Amino acid sequence: MSKYFLPLFLFLLSCSTSQPEIYEWRGAERSGIYPDTELLTVWPEEGPKELWTFDSLGRGYGSPQFTEDHFYITGEVDSMAILYCFNLDGTKLWQSTLGKEWVTSFPGSRSAPTIVGDKIYIGTGMGDLYCVNRADGSRVWSKKFTEDFQGVYPLHGHSEAAVISGVRVFWTPGGKIHNVVALNRTTGELIWSNPGFGERSGYNPGKLVMHNGHALFVTFTAAKLLGLDAETGELLWSHHQDVYTEEEREKIGIGDSHANSVIYRDGSIYYAAGDGNGGVMLGLSEDGTEITQVWRNPGFDSFFGGIVLIGNHLYTSGTHSQYLYSIDASTGILSDSLKIGQGALIAADQMLYYYNQRGQMFLLSYTEGKMKEVSSFKITKGTRHHFSHPVIHQGILYQRRGDALMAYDIREGVK
């Protein structure tokens, strides 16, 4: 037998073994851009056709997460976190009780599930992380926020969408010792822990950045954006928010809300912080171990409405204004603004979809950063705040409001 046979066999085996697809918060790469095409370019005056409503989710703000033929969503019922599985026609298949859910300020579930292979990874507002079976919601393992990691609660409960890389699942307890951790996604065992700066978490969904063959886990804690080596947990760099002094930040709820995933493209990281530096572009060194600030725009200041990067423009909602903004991604200079209220933003089929906190859903066109309102309608079903992000799957627009989830047909030519 050739001495090269075994290494060659192992190489071919590794090339032929495909990694399971990851279904996660705001779609592929957490970009907020959905792949659907042949969608309506104008809505009827009363809005697109409503296909169905499910109004018994319990309290919550988390968006649904879709696979090919199912979706999963959480809600709080009688102080407990419930994970639901549905068919695409809105038929509930099963529900699973996870544990205690957040019931104080803005009570209800927060997180969207992350799905890999036959497992679902979901956190609660209490910061606890669960791995359950996709088939029936039965628990595989769980970790307690305070008991296992000495986690520290932010003012409005923990909010994070689990990030997966290979065998690792990343979580940000915000403790003095276990500030950011990587767990074995099969067993829940600790792989690495980094103390960071000992800050509480910043409500951030986190992001896996693949840069020149280097995997980075990027997330916000209360006052700093952290870049960690995804394999080893080494803290490579940080970018500090300087709007408030360190003394002011000691008070919980001051300058510590950073709920947008960062955007990565071609060696650059973009973020928008409503409680910090505003919009920022960072350049990564060749090996990803250092950053350089390229520009900063304090007015591009989204708390949790999501950021979309299309072409050479970034789009997001203002926090301290009622505007939707676009800025030049190369320079950070404002390109356009629309006064349509604070809200959450996604994109599909060369259009923007914007759900503001007054319950209005907008369809917007854009050309080189210039935006124009095309259509709108009002979400009237559901309860409490209009905070949840829209989702588009197979030509259907889904919007949650509290205990209700609505499905709207936005496909072109379908009656």
Side-chain angles (χ1 to χ4, degrees):
M1 180 184 293
S2 168
K3 63 180 180 180
Y4 301 110
F5 176 79
L6 184 57
L8 178 61
F9 170 76
L10 294 175
F11 172 76
L12 293 174
L13 180 62
S14 67
C15 291
S16 63
T17 304
S18 60
Q19 295 297 313
E21 185 169 358
I22 299 175
Y23 303 93
E24 59 183 337
W25 163 247
R26 288 179 61 81
E29 299 182 355
R30 307 197 166 198
S31 66
I33 302 175
Y34 292 87
D36 302 69
T37 58
E38 299 183 3
L39 305 180
L40 291 169
T41 55
V42 179
W43 292 335
E45 185 176 350
E46 68 278 9
K49 179 182 178 182
E50 183 179 314
L51 297 176
W52 53 260
T53 297
F54 186 88
D55 59 4
S56 302
L57 290 175
R59 295 185 292 187
Y61 305 99
S63 300
Q65 182 57 63
F66 288 83
T67 60
E68 298 89 349
D69 49 9
H70 297 94
F71 70 86
Y72 306 84
I73 191 169
T74 59
E76 175 265 314
V77 179
D78 296 331
S79 80
M80 301 302 287
I82 310 296
L83 174 65
Y84 301 93
C85 172
F86 289 84
N87 274 337
L88 297 186
D89 63 5
T91 301
K92 185 175 71 172
L93 300 180
W94 54 256
Q95 67 181 65
S96 176
T97 301
L98 301 176
K100 291 288 186 180
E101 186 52 278
W102 188 261
V103 293
T104 54
S105 56
F106 300 99
S109 63
R110 276 110 166 91
S111 300
T114 300
I115 303 159
V116 186
D118 61 355
K119 300 295 190 295
I120 303 171
Y121 301 86
I122 181 66
T124 68
M126 302 302 291
D128 301 331
L129 179 62
Y130 296 85
C131 170
V132 304
N133 284 307
R134 183 170 160 183
D136 57 9
S138 59
R139 188 179 306 183
V140 179
W141 57 261
S142 63
K143 290 294 180 181
K144 291 293 185 181
F145 186 66
T146 53
E147 296 175 17
D148 296 319
F149 304 124
Q150 297 77 57
V152 178
Y153 290 114
L155 181 61
H156 302 301
H158 195 82
S159 180
E160 188 171 2
V163 173
I164 304 289
S165 177
V167 71
R168 294 168 177 80
V169 54
F170 304 101
W171 205 240
T172 310
K176 296 293 184 182
I177 299 173
H178 300 300
N179 196 251
V180 184
V181 300
L183 309 176
N184 183 300
R185 71 177 183 87
T186 302
T187 65
E189 294 301 312
L190 183 67
I191 295 177
W192 57 251
S193 174
N194 191 295
F197 292 87
E199 298 180 336
R200 57 189 175 273
S201 64
Y203 309 98
N204 198 259
K207 167 83 169 185
L208 180 68
V209 169
M210 296 303 300
H211 174 69
N212 295 334
H214 302 278
L216 311 179
F217 176 58
V218 180
T219 192
F220 262 108
T221 52
K224 299 169 184 69
L225 181 70
L226 309 180
L228 300 104
D229 185 299
E231 183 175 349
T232 67
E234 178 187 0
L235 179 61
L236 303 175
W237 49 260
S238 62
H239 197 252
H240 297 213
Q241 310 299 291
D242 59 12
V243 173
Y244 299 94
T245 66
E246 290 297 326
E247 290 75 19
E248 288 173 319
R249 288 184 180 278
E250 288 298 319
K251 183 178 180 180
I252 188 170
I254 300 297
D256 57 6
S257 301
H258 311 293
N260 294 319
S261 293
V262 304
I263 299 290
Y264 170 82
R265 180 195 281 179
D266 299 334
S268 297
I269 288 175
Y270 305 87
Y271 71 76
D275 221 2
N277 294 334
V280 173
M281 175 184 179
L282 303 172
L284 283 171
S285 63
E286 190 71 19
D287 61 0
T289 60
E290 297 178 351
I291 54 170
T292 303
Q293 181 175 299
V294 179
W295 56 253
R296 173 176 169 179
N297 184 333
F300 198 68
D301 62 340
S302 173
F303 264 126
F304 55 76
I307 319 162
V308 172
L309 174 59
I310 304 173
N312 196 44
H313 287 86
L314 290 154
Y315 303 82
T316 199
S317 162
T319 291
H320 301 290
S321 71
Q322 296 296 316
Y323 287 89
L324 176 66
Y325 294 113
S326 72
I327 62 174
D328 187 298
S330 300
T331 65
I333 296 173
L334 180 70
S335 296
D336 197 13
S337 62
L338 285 178
K339 192 173 184 179
I340 55 175
Q342 300 174 21
L345 179 71
I346 62 171
D349 200 17
Q350 303 180 59
M351 301 292 281
L352 299 174
Y353 295 77
Y354 190 63
Y355 179 52
N356 74 14
Q357 293 178 16
R358 296 191 294 268
Q360 296 168 294
M361 182 73 76
F362 291 90
L363 180 66
L364 308 168
S365 64
Y366 61 88
T367 304
E368 296 181 351
K370 302 299 181 181
M371 301 173 291
K372 182 179 179 181
E373 180 182 338
V374 176
S375 301
S376 68
F377 70 101
K378 185 73 178 288
I379 301 286
T380 58
K381 296 180 179 179
T383 56
R384 300 178 70 84
H385 307 284
H386 299 276
F387 286 166
S388 300
H389 289 214
V391 176
I392 297 174
H393 182 72
Q394 295 183 10
I396 310 301
L397 172 65
Y398 296 86
Q399 184 59 57
R400 181 189 191 149
R401 183 191 176 198
D403 59 359
L405 179 68
M406 287 70 69
Y408 302 94
D409 194 339
I410 58 171
R411 293 172 291 177
E412 185 73 64
V414 176
K415 296 182 180 181

